[in-house]
Amino acid sequence: MTGRASPVRARWSVSTIFFVNGAVLASWVPHIPAVKAAHALGDGALGLVLLSMAAGSVLALTLAGWLVGRIGSRATTSMAAIALCLTLPLPILSPAIPLLALSLVLVGASNATLDVAMNAQAVLVEREYGRPIMSSFHGLFSLGGLAGAALAGLAIGLGVPPAYHVVVSAVVALLAVGRALRWLVPSDAADASASPVFARPSGVLFGLGVLAFFGLLAEGAMADWSAVYLRDTLETTPAVAAAGFAAFSLAMAAGRFAATAWSACSGPAGCSAHRGRWPPAGSAARSSWARRPPPWSGVGSSASASRTSSPCSSARRDMCAGSRPAPHLPRSRP
């Protein structure tokens, strides 16, 4: 692309990347019970295998910011988005447990790198708009999760082999990414060698990190185990098990789009305060059924605990007194 994209086109492009990111991850989640059965894994062994994805994420997160500084957030987003689409089919196609673990490391590393880079892009777009819109990007990530899980449930219900579904999903995701990449916001590479890969956070920044950790802990647990719980423990059909994560993504999307309005009215601090009031409301709604609630209802209500923690914590990060962001990562508007 020559020149600079308009803010509207840039927002559309970054929104597409967020949506595809959520859809790709959600295309894998409903197939976890099938992978567990195919490799004859117990719950403990499955937990260790799924830990491979987290390990890949942690390893990549330590270098993703440096990579953004070295080549810019636009180039990093492009490479990571393509890599995530290409690695989507690998866990389903892996014939052995070691290869399954290795494929999840690659998926986790690609996803973590994309997470950092696309959020850096989102900050640049938010700066152009001059108002808080970060939560809307994260809402589109959750909508992507809803779409990906719903289509996966439909494919499972129709008897489509998991391998066919993930390969087709990867191709469609690649086409969407390819169309969106040209309008990403140009970003200059900084002197990454002058900034440390690790830096000691301030007390306030550490507190925000703890808040984000627990929110993402709940989100990750639901992604890894909701389908397994619904399929194996509640003995639902595979399609209903897929609907559980779709319900979770729908609730996450609703809260994150609402957080955009909260941030505009009361700022990220007020958004974080509102977030704490949602879990009791979700639990109360679930308990309102006179009989046993639908098996996916608990998964959906659990989303209320973490749906705004990620975007609100990201916004608050730049407002911490005494904190200094890495020179290669953009600062969002307060």
Side-chain angles (χ1 to χ4, degrees), residues 115-222:
D115 191 13
V116 173
M118 71 183 185
N119 274 282
Q121 280 282 303
V123 169
L124 294 174
V125 174
E126 186 180 56
R127 181 184 298 165
E128 292 292 329
Y129 269 75
R131 65 178 187 271
I133 59 172
M134 179 65 73
S135 289
S136 67
F137 290 116
H138 288 258
L140 284 164
F141 170 87
S142 297
L143 280 184
L146 171 63
L151 290 175
L154 178 62
I156 292 171
L158 294 176
V160 177
Y164 290 173
H165 168 250
V166 293
V167 168
V168 171
S169 298
V171 171
V172 173
L174 274 173
L175 292 175
V177 166
R179 182 171 177 80
L181 293 183
R182 61 179 302 192
W183 302 118
L184 289 177
V185 182
S187 56
D188 296 328
D191 185 7
S193 60
S195 61
V197 176
F198 299 98
R200 188 174 187 177
S202 64
V204 177
L205 188 60
F206 178 79
L208 285 174
V210 171
L211 174 65
F213 170 82
F214 284 112
L216 293 174
L217 176 66
E219 189 173 346
M222 297 308 297

Side-chain angles (χ1 to χ4, degrees), residues 26 31 51 79 123-124 158-159 185 191 223 235 251 275 299 328:
H31 294 301
L51 191 62
M79 292 190 303
V123 169
L124 294 174
L158 294 176
V185 182
D191 185 7
E235 299 180 347
R275 182 189 58 82
V299 180
H328 47 273

Side-chain angles (χ1 to χ4, degrees), residues 142 211-220 222 248 251-252 255-256 275 278-279 301-312:
S142 297
L211 174 65
F213 170 82
F214 284 112
L216 293 174
L217 176 66
E219 189 173 346
M222 297 308 297
F248 178 80
M252 291 282 287
R256 284 172 168 172
R275 182 189 58 82
W278 280 100
S301 62
S302 297
S304 59
S306 61
R307 57 192 171 189
T308 61
S309 63
S310 211
C312 289

Side-chain angles (χ1 to χ4, degrees), residues 235-247:
E235 299 180 347
T236 64
T237 65
V240 171
F245 189 72

Side-chain angles (χ1 to χ4, degrees), residues 8-327:
V8 174
R9 280 181 169 174
R11 184 175 184 178
W12 175 88
S13 179
V14 176
S15 296
T16 300
I17 298 297
F18 271 83
F19 183 90
V20 169
N21 187 192
V24 166
L25 293 179
S27 297
W28 145 251
V29 167
H31 294 301
I32 293 178
V35 170
K36 178 187 178 186
H39 293 280
L41 295 171
D43 288 342
L46 177 64
L48 290 176
V49 170
L50 293 177
L51 191 62
S52 301
M53 186 170 176
S57 297
V58 172
L59 291 174
L61 282 172
T62 59
L63 299 174
W66 177 88
L67 185 62
V68 169
R70 176 66 67 178
I71 64 176
S73 63
R74 180 180 180 179
T76 306
T77 298
S78 302
M79 292 190 303
I82 293 172
L84 181 62
C85 295
L86 293 176
T87 56
L88 168 61
L90 297 183
I92 306 296
L93 300 176
S94 298
I97 294 177
L99 291 177
L100 171 61
L102 177 60
S103 66
L104 288 175
V105 169
L106 296 176
V107 173
S110 301
N111 180 62
T113 304
L114 179 59
D115 191 13
V116 173
M118 71 183 185
N119 274 282
Q121 280 282 303
V123 169
L124 294 174
V125 174
E126 186 180 56
R127 181 184 298 165
E128 292 292 329
Y129 269 75
R131 65 178 187 271
I133 59 172
M134 179 65 73
S135 289
S136 67
F137 290 116
H138 288 258
L140 284 164
F141 170 87
S142 297
L143 280 184
L146 171 63
L151 290 175
L154 178 62
I156 292 171
L158 294 176
V160 177
Y164 290 173
H165 168 250
V166 293
V167 168
V168 171
S169 298
V171 171
V172 173
L174 274 173
L175 292 175
V177 166
R179 182 171 177 80
L181 293 183
R182 61 179 302 192
W183 302 118
L184 289 177
V185 182
S187 56
D188 296 328
D191 185 7
S193 60
S195 61
V197 176
F198 299 98
R200 188 174 187 177
S202 64
V204 177
L205 188 60
F206 178 79
L208 285 174
V210 171
L211 174 65
F213 170 82
F214 284 112
L216 293 174
L217 176 66
E219 189 173 346
M222 297 308 297
D224 287 345
W225 291 101
S226 61
V228 174
Y229 173 73
L230 292 171
R231 182 74 181 98
D232 294 350
T233 302
L234 298 186
E235 299 180 347
T236 64
T237 65
V240 171
F245 189 72
F248 178 80
S249 298
L250 177 61
M252 291 282 287
R256 284 172 168 172
F257 283 121
T260 300
W262 292 338
S263 294
C265 295
S266 57
C271 170
S272 299
H274 280 294
R275 182 189 58 82
R277 301 188 184 114
W278 280 100
S283 299
R286 183 174 183 267
S287 65
S288 64
W289 274 284
R291 297 179 180 272
R292 181 182 178 184
W296 46 262
S297 63
V299 180
S301 62
S302 297
S304 59
S306 61
R307 57 192 171 189
T308 61
S309 63
S310 211
C312 289
S313 297
S314 297
R316 288 290 293 170
R317 183 265 302 172
D318 287 328
M319 300 170 63
C320 293
S323 67
R324 184 169 60 88

